Amino acid sequence: MNDEVARSRGVAVLGSTGSIGTTALRVIARQPGRFHVAALTAFANSALLESQATLTNPTFVGLVSPNGVKPPESWRLGAASLVEAATRDDVDIVLNAVVGAAGLDATLAALEAGKRVALANKETLVVAGELAAAACARTGGEIVPVDSEHSAILQCLGRRDRTDVRRLIITASGGPFRTWSSAAIRSATLEDALRHPTWSMGRKITVDSATLANKALEVIEAHFLFGIPYENIEVVVHPQSVVHSMVEFVDGSVLAQMGVPSMELPVLYALTHPERVRDDGVPRFDPVAHSPLTFEPVRLSDFPALSLGLEAGRNGGAAPAVFNAANEQAVALFLEGKMNFADITASIDSALGQLGTMNGKDKASLLAADAAARAHVSRRAENN
Ligand code: NAD
Ligand code: MG
């Protein structure tokens, strides 16, 4: 065995206290000698971060916002700690599991430093997909997706060229309102929206899964990750969340990747790609127990956030950043009980109508569009 294979690789887990972050720590703990935790960061919740640090013994711990709790002396504080964690010499892989555009700088900095980014933070690619691609081309940094759909596509693609691909088919669970009437969806409560049928996730992505804004973010993410034009990316509803996505090749063959709805495999694969390693902890798939598998079209008129996001993706410029920021702000207000469910999508629509043609030529203009969209949604909510 040569040294390169034998060396344990350091992983920075950004957003370690969240749903993906805690999953990642479980997955890494099952691979001693292959991976170790080199850095941890979280927004708040320092008690959990502290116990994670005690268990994994990283060389760096960052806390964005201490929230009144006094953290240990050795911890780095503030938003800059994300970038610091992402660019350390002892970090080989940056697992970005931060929620929202707050994860952008860390992704870009890690790519600039030539690192692998195991990316759960899909908002990064939606806000700045072109900047991330340019950074990869310049430095040899790479993005390996953690999102289950994109992990599935990557696994189906193997080493084949994108010119062999006719179509990507991204599956969607349909969320908690898949079978609800239009009127019932409009008056859905926060509690309804947080009751996801197949996945247990952070609150923001759970709401995104109820509006289907999450699928729009994922189509844009797929466009940038795999270089496939928007017209060749489709979404189909698959309520069981067992087929994680499919790739149709030019000869008509369709490959799908399947497994139980668990993020452990996509997290592990993002660390090991293109290799596979043994992990007996990932729940096994039983085709009989998981049958039947069904597919149905998306009810586009009842989930307009999906079409709005796809249009923003096709329009390009700062439109995807506006879509993302308006959604983040609206979901934050919805989670605080200050906005109703239907107004999330109405806010996005309004922000895109007002700001969707802003230019997105560089990071400064994308951040300006992001800030303008958040302000627009907040103002609109105050006036309603
Ligand atoms: P979560 O809310 O459970 O966790 C978010 C983590 O990020 C926490 O550790 C939190 O402390 C940290 N954080 C929050 N705001 C921050 C900020 N401003 N600066 C720095 N850190 C901050 O979210 P999650 O469900 O784990 O999702 C994380 C990302 O992964 C999201 O982009 C989501 O879309 C994506 N994702 C999640 C799942 C899932 O199963 N949960 C699946 C696919 C993709
Ligand atoms: Mg997903």
Side-chain angles (χ1 to χ4, degrees):
M1 205 189 269
N2 68 34
D3 288 351
E4 189 53 34
V5 175
R7 190 172 68 87
S8 169
R9 307 185 77 198
V11 183
V13 182
L14 312 184
S16 64
T17 56
S19 163
I20 293 288
T22 50
T23 300
L25 294 184
R26 259 198 329 273
V27 167
I28 292 168
R30 293 203 295 259
Q31 301 293 336
R34 203 181 296 273
F35 300 108
H36 64 273
V37 176
L40 292 173
T41 78
F43 184 76
N45 195 357
S46 67
L48 177 55
L49 184 60
E50 199 159 350
S51 66
Q52 291 178 334
T54 305
L55 271 174
T56 61
N57 198 22
T59 53
F60 179 97
V61 182
L63 182 63
V64 173
S65 166
N67 252 8
V69 183
K70 196 168 166 2
E73 292 276 311
S74 60
W75 289 13
R76 302 299 283 259
L77 305 182
S81 64
L82 293 177
V83 170
E84 263 185 84
T87 52
R88 290 174 60 80
D89 286 344
D90 62 351
V91 166
D92 300 292
I93 303 176
V94 176
L95 194 142
N96 189 344
V98 169
V99 60
L104 174 65
D105 284 348
T107 300
L108 294 178
L111 295 175
E112 288 294 348
K115 299 195 192 289
R116 167 176 291 197
V117 176
L119 188 70
N121 180 240
K122 62 190 89 183
E123 293 90 347
T124 285
L125 282 179
V126 174
V127 175
E130 279 160 21
L131 297 183
C136 291
R138 221 175 16 248
T139 65
E142 58 171 351
I143 300 178
V144 184
V146 167
D147 222 346
S148 56
E149 295 78 0
H150 306 74
S151 177
I153 291 166
L154 183 67
Q155 293 177 60
C156 293
L157 282 173
R159 293 179 198 275
R160 270 177 294 264
D161 203 77
R162 82 173 72 120
T163 53
D164 290 345
V165 174
R166 184 185 283 162
R167 192 165 53 128
L168 305 181
I169 304 170
I170 297 183
T171 52
S173 71
F177 307 139
R178 178 177 66 88
T179 58
W180 285 35
S181 70
S182 317
I185 294 171
R186 273 195 300 277
S187 53
T189 66
L190 176 57
E191 203 191 355
D192 297 328
L194 288 177
R195 214 176 287 124
H196 196 279
T198 49
W199 295 99
S200 158
M201 313 180 281
R203 283 154 65 89
K204 189 261 179 181
I205 184 177
T206 302
V207 176
D208 289 352
S209 302
T211 58
L212 294 202
N214 183 51
K215 269 320 125 174
L217 298 174
E218 291 186 352
V219 170
I220 299 171
E221 182 187 7
H223 167 77
F224 284 115
L225 277 173
F226 304 112
I228 303 293
Y230 284 106
E231 62 267 27
N232 298 341
I233 308 177
E234 281 175 26
V235 176
V236 67
V237 172
H238 167 51
Q240 298 81 19
S241 301
V242 164
V243 173
H244 297 308
S245 278
M246 306 174 228
V247 179
E248 181 186 4
F249 293 93
V250 283
D251 60 0
S253 177
V254 178
L255 296 190
Q257 188 264 335
M258 299 163 72
V260 298
S262 156
M263 290 307 294
E264 298 198 354
L265 174 63
V267 166
L268 176 65
Y269 189 72
L271 301 179
T272 66
H273 167 80
E275 312 299 334
R276 292 186 184 276
V277 300
R278 184 178 181 134
D279 184 347
D280 295 333
V282 172
R284 301 281 296 274
F285 174 59
D286 174 347
V288 174
H290 283 90
S291 64
L293 301 181
T294 59
F295 300 90
E296 53 192 70
V298 184
R299 289 160 54 200
L300 284 174
S301 59
D302 291 320
F303 298 95
L306 177 55
S307 304
L308 285 170
L310 298 192
E311 195 188 332
R314 283 190 297 266
N315 288 343
V322 169
F323 172 80
N324 177 69
N327 180 56
E328 278 191 34
Q329 189 64 16
V331 171
L333 291 169
F334 176 64
L335 288 171
E336 287 169 25
K338 294 179 183 159
M339 184 179 279
N340 64 44
F341 185 73
D343 250 350
I344 299 173
T345 302
S347 300
I348 298 170
D349 195 8
S350 168
L352 282 168
Q354 197 96 85
L355 307 163
T357 56
M358 283 179 77
N359 94 56
K361 65 178 183 340
D362 53 21
K363 192 170 152 201
S365 34
L366 292 167
L367 293 180
D370 173 291
R374 286 171 204 264
H376 178 87
V377 169
S378 297
R379 256 195 325 273
R380 189 176 173 279
E382 276 161 24
N383 296 335
N384 269 352

